[in-house]
Amino acid sequence: MASDSLRALLPDLAPWRASVDFRRLWFSGLISNFGSFLTFVALPVQLKELTGSAAAVGAIGAVEVVPLVVFGLYGGALADALDKRTLIVWTEAGQGLLSAALLVNALLPEPAVWPLYVVAGLSAVLYSVQRPAMDSLWPRIVAHEHLPAAASLNSLRWTVGGVAGPAVAGIVVAYAGLGWAYGADALTFFVSLALVVRIASSPAAHEAAKPSLRAIAEGARYAWGRKELLGTYAVDLAAMFLAMPLAVLPFLADELDAEWSLGLMYASVPAGSMLVSLTSGWTARVHRHGRAVVVSAALWGVAIAGAGLVGNVWLALLCLTFAGGCDMVSGIFRGAMWNQTIPDELRGRLAGIELLSYSVGPTVGQVRSGGFAAWLGVRTSVWSGGVLCVGAVGLLALCLPGLMRYDVRTDEHAARLREQRAAAPVTGT
């Protein structure tokens, strides 16, 4: 009985066993995510060293937000109109070259500040083009009934890199230097690329529209007509904009007299996410995905508020870890709603809109947290963001009852897509 209960908690490995392309993409993402988290820690640390300004660190988000908005939407249209594998391969190679540029700048006798912002902006462009292609590819290489399990495994892939990357980055930056972090990131992209080129091609659907403003508008109209989908975007955007404290973590570590804890702070949110991913078997038994998104987003805000209010670094780390777990629960059920209800010919464009919620929110949130920290203080910036998040999520839940009513067993869009996928082949198996 105990062993059965344990197995029910463990991740479902069915997508991994059934699809070789899923395995290749999973390992590719694991490797490149690890490297990206090295840079994720090294870049704000370098800016802090060069400028000493929380606002300057938070300005990374201002540089990234326009590319995320523009190229996220256009990247979604490209993903529907072009071969998805081709987009992934070229953007992965571009990210590796940008990491190499950061390495060159770090090795200069006097590193410049402006290349950090330029690379951050260009990296946002490549990420915005790649992510819709990646998100719209999963349903083609994974059986429809395995999509929730695939979402959990993909989350696990991200969290493993998110835990190991920042933890290693804190040590590497402190004892070896920024150049080693950037160099390792560049290497991981090219190792990842060797795996990505081996996946099967994934051409556009016959009925897919050519990339254009009209095609983007068509995707936006579809999203607007699906209020339960709109709710997932709005809830995540509010939570990330109001309660994403990553830009001020270097300063929070200083305020708590625990500079040594910076790597742990960056790793704690992914660590919480990983704990949920490793015990995600229970998610298959949840059918009201909208309610799960709302509750977990509100608890994220509570946890972030706690991280700003406590004065002990270990309690702050515990709050950040709990926040990461809540964010992962929200992400699993958002992904399940998207993947199980959006038609294939619109999936890229809807993935571009999704990108705005889970990428623009944290990006602009860095600007908010950095600005509040400069104005009101670091800890006030953190706890006030959490409180505002709880209020915003509650208001959205009241305004979007369709999100709270959503049930995958009875939703008409989910039923229609189940029928379509039952008659369609799965590639890359």
Side-chain angles (χ1 to χ4, degrees):
M1 183 67 69
S3 61
D4 290 340
S5 299
L6 179 60
R7 280 195 295 270
L9 287 175
L10 294 176
D12 183 357
L13 299 180
W16 204 341
R17 291 191 292 264
S19 173
V20 64
D21 277 352
F22 179 84
R23 294 194 296 272
R24 286 169 179 159
L25 278 177
W26 195 92
F27 280 111
S28 169
L30 177 68
I31 293 166
S32 62
N33 282 346
F34 173 80
S36 296
F37 274 105
L38 293 177
T39 295
F40 182 73
V41 173
L43 191 63
V45 169
Q46 187 175 21
L47 267 174
K48 176 177 176 286
E49 291 178 353
L50 293 175
T51 67
S53 168
V57 176
I60 295 175
V63 171
E64 293 173 339
V65 67
V66 173
L68 285 170
V69 172
V70 174
F71 288 93
L73 293 173
Y74 189 67
L78 287 175
D80 281 336
L82 302 177
D83 188 291
K84 296 172 176 48
R85 183 191 66 175
T86 300
L87 286 174
I88 294 169
V89 166
W90 283 105
T91 51
E92 195 79 354
Q95 291 278 25
L97 293 175
L98 290 179
S99 297
L102 289 174
L103 169 62
V104 171
N105 182 62
L107 295 178
L108 294 175
E110 294 184 7
V113 171
W114 66 264
L116 305 184
Y117 291 113
V118 170
V119 169
L122 292 176
S123 180
V125 171
L126 294 176
Y127 175 79
S128 300
V129 173
Q130 183 186 85
R131 189 61 186 261
M134 185 77 75
D135 287 349
S136 60
L137 178 59
W138 296 117
R140 288 192 174 187
I141 63 176
V142 175
H144 185 77
E145 64 272 17
H146 294 160
L147 285 173
S152 296
L153 290 173
N154 284 330
S155 300
L156 177 61
R157 174 202 65 181
W158 179 85
T159 56
V160 169
V163 172
V168 172
I171 297 172
V172 170
V173 170
Y175 295 102
L178 293 160
W180 283 93
Y182 294 139
D185 187 18
L187 179 62
T188 60
F189 274 115
F190 291 111
V191 173
S192 169
L193 188 61
L195 290 169
V196 172
V197 296
R198 298 181 62 193
I199 69 174
S201 62
S202 183
H206 294 299
E207 59 270 33
K210 293 182 179 180
S212 64
L213 290 176
R214 182 176 181 179
I216 294 172
E218 181 185 1
R221 284 194 297 271
Y222 178 85
W224 183 259
R226 296 277 311 278
K227 292 301 188 285
E228 72 282 8
L229 280 185
L230 194 65
T232 65
Y233 304 147
V235 167
D236 190 47
L237 186 64
M240 295 298 101
F241 169 65
L242 294 170
M244 177 54 74
L246 297 182
V248 299
L249 290 186
F251 302 90
L252 181 62
D254 289 347
E255 284 215 359
L256 295 176
D257 295 321
E259 293 83 354
W260 53 268
S261 70
L262 178 59
L264 293 177
M265 284 189 175
Y266 277 114
S268 56
V269 172
S273 298
M274 184 171 68
L275 289 173
V276 169
S277 298
L278 289 171
T279 57
S280 60
W282 62 271
T283 60
R285 298 186 292 277
V286 177
H287 306 292
R288 295 185 178 276
H289 297 163
R291 291 185 182 182
V293 169
V294 168
V295 172
S296 54
L299 290 176
W300 155 272
V302 171
I304 294 299
L309 288 170
V310 299
N312 179 277
V313 65
W314 293 108
L315 290 177
L317 290 170
L318 181 63
C319 288
L320 291 172
T321 302
F322 181 73
C326 296
D327 185 47
M328 180 52 62
V329 172
S330 175
I332 288 173
F333 291 114
R334 290 196 314 269
M337 289 179 67
W338 298 337
N339 290 331
Q340 291 185 315
T341 64
I342 298 172
D344 185 69
E345 67 273 12
L346 287 167
R347 194 172 296 279
R349 280 164 286 175
L350 270 293
I353 297 174
E354 292 159 21
L355 180 71
L356 300 185
S357 69
Y358 60 68
S359 292
V360 172
T363 301
V364 181
Q366 292 187 71
V367 181
R368 186 214 65 82
S369 62
F372 270 46
W375 177 35
L376 300 172
V378 173
R379 292 176 61 186
T380 301
S381 171
V382 176
W383 70 255
S384 64
V387 172
L388 290 171
C389 168
V390 175
V393 169
L395 182 61
L396 286 169
L398 291 174
C399 295
L400 294 166
L403 176 64
M404 300 297 287
R405 289 196 303 265
Y406 176 86
D407 189 322
V408 68
R409 297 167 297 185
T410 57
D411 181 76
E412 60 176 312
H413 303 283
R416 186 180 305 119
L417 198 59
R418 276 196 298 269
E419 294 175 0
Q420 293 174 356
R421 289 297 306 277
V426 177
T427 64
T429 56

